[in-house]
Amino acid sequence: MTGLADRIHCVRKTLRLMPVEAELLSNKAIAANMKEAEYLRLLISQKPNDYPEIRRLLKDLINEVNHIGNNINQIVRNNNSALYTKADKERLIAYMKKLNVVVNEAVIMIGNQ
């Protein structure tokens, strides 16, 4: 039975590994929720966006930015209603600092691509 993957990935390569290397490959593929061949192709392609941990990091970053954006919108709404307080200003500054920290952490983890 030949599937689509067999038609796309039609070149076979033989690879010899030491038992420790084979176990490491297996563990890393399982941790990435991938088959070993998929994991090896991922390593060869070197596309950071393909890595599950980077996709997860970016998803978390987007969620964090959305939460902070909602909080900022509430503060702005209070300001437009003349309900803006010094505490709101301090919260806004804290949210912006938190946003900068989270974005900087993502840049460091991704490698400033």
Side-chain angles (χ1 to χ4, degrees), residues 41-71:
R41 284 191 291 274
L42 171 71
L43 294 175
I44 291 168
S45 71
Q46 292 297 309
K47 296 178 189 170
N49 289 336
D50 291 342
Y51 287 85
E53 55 273 7
I54 291 178
R55 283 195 306 255
R56 215 172 346 213
L57 173 70
L58 292 174
K59 181 179 177 273
D60 292 345
L61 177 61
I62 289 168
N63 287 338
E64 188 68 30
V65 168
N66 286 337
H67 290 299
I68 291 171
N70 288 336
N71 292 330

Side-chain angles (χ1 to χ4, degrees), residues 11-31:
V11 177
R12 289 189 177 267
K13 295 284 183 178
T14 302
L15 176 66
R16 293 178 188 245
L17 300 172
M18 294 185 294
V20 173
E21 294 169 329
E23 183 178 350
L24 185 60
L25 172 61
S26 178
N27 291 341
K28 287 189 175 198
I30 289 169

